[in-house]
Amino acid sequence: MSKKILIVEDESIIRMDMKMMLEDHGYEVVGEAGDGDQAIELAFQEKPDLVLMDIKMPRMNGLKASQVIASQLDIPILIITAYSQKEFVEQARQDNIVGYLVKPISESNLIPAVEIAMHQANKAKKLKLEIKTAQHEVEKRKLIERAKGILMDKKMLTEQEAFKKMRDASMARQMTMESIAKEILYENK
Ligand SMILES: [Mg+2]
């Protein structure tokens, strides 16, 4: 279960409050940053499951830091904002920003927002994995088709014969069809 959180907020009292609320609910605060530079450094170092990101901070602001983090790491970011910044956040919409939380932060707005963000992030992660698996499946089939085509040409086999030959080899040598196909493609480069 994803539970590691990085808190980025320049006001130390708000930071401490949030840390306490999160820890009370079983979250692990793996880092605290007071500006955008520190946020980036800690995001890379700690690889949290979620970043809570204030916007207005000294040196680098939260949106800029979010952009840098999102360009390199696949970590969801929950923006913490004063109401007046809401429009600004909407303009700066980007993939990794999973939501925003309006100050003042209280347990009753922080915890549900974090839970939803974590849930969505997990769902997105699962979906990405499914897409990757599906893409691999397509690639695998393409390889097998190409290898089968080569066998048909070179050995004058029918499609079924070529497929059977590959399947027999796969079983006899305890190799996947994909590996057999790769071997055939390699040998006929
Ligand atoms: Mg601030």
Side-chain angles (χ1 to χ4, degrees):
M1 184 61 196
S2 309
K3 290 274 175 186
K4 282 161 42 182
I5 297 181
L6 168 63
I7 300 176
V8 186
E9 163 66 62
D10 61 333
E11 287 171 68
S12 59
I13 294 175
I14 300 180
R15 219 161 57 213
M16 267 161 43
D17 273 354
M18 285 198 292
K19 186 179 181 189
M20 222 153 54
M21 292 172 201
L22 290 165
E23 286 178 348
D24 277 351
H25 285 81
Y27 291 101
E28 185 193 350
V29 176
V30 292
E32 290 176 63
D35 63 62
D37 282 336
Q38 237 183 340
I40 293 167
E41 204 181 308
L42 284 174
F44 276 90
Q45 199 179 304
E46 300 294 337
K47 307 257 167 35
D49 299 306
L50 179 70
V51 180
L52 297 183
M53 180 78 80
D54 183 26
I55 294 185
K56 244 185 121 195
M57 291 183 296
R59 285 183 286 279
M60 192 190 290
N61 77 42
L63 288 177
K64 182 81 196 121
S66 295
Q67 268 171 14
V68 176
I69 292 170
S71 70
Q72 312 267 341
L73 298 169
D74 192 17
I75 299 175
I77 298 165
L78 182 61
I79 296 285
I80 300 163
T81 170
Y83 187 68
S84 58
Q85 296 162 338
K86 204 168 164 178
E87 216 172 285
F88 184 38
V89 177
E90 272 167 355
Q91 283 170 9
R93 196 164 276 289
Q94 44 175 284
D95 281 354
N96 287 43
I97 295 180
V98 288
Y100 50 90
L101 196 56
V102 178
K103 288 180 188 178
I105 303 296
S106 67
E107 201 167 322
S108 61
N109 70 2
L110 176 67
I111 301 304
V114 167
E115 274 166 12
I116 289 167
M118 287 290 200
H119 180 71
Q120 281 181 341
N122 281 332
K123 243 168 56 178
K125 217 185 270 177
K126 246 187 239 164
L127 193 66
K128 268 184 207 161
L129 193 71
E130 275 172 27
I131 291 170
K132 220 172 154 186
T133 308
Q135 277 168 345
H136 181 219
E137 194 59 36
V138 169
E139 288 307 313
K140 199 168 89 182
R141 276 176 204 204
K142 271 194 214 156
L143 281 180
I144 293 169
E145 282 304 307
R146 272 171 55 205
K148 197 170 70 182
I150 288 171
L151 282 188
M152 287 164 71
D153 280 354
K154 295 235 162 171
K155 313 243 185 217
M156 309 282 269
L157 299 175
T158 66
E159 192 176 347
Q160 281 101 323
E161 284 166 345
F163 187 75
K164 186 174 183 304
K165 198 170 177 60
M166 287 172 69
R167 206 186 46 200
D168 289 349
S170 156
M171 289 202 285
R173 296 168 60 196
Q174 304 217 332
M175 285 165 68
T176 62
M177 284 292 275
E178 189 182 8
S179 305
I180 296 288
K182 276 185 186 160
E183 209 177 75
I184 292 167
L185 291 170
Y186 182 77
E187 282 164 1
N188 291 281
K189 248 200 309 202

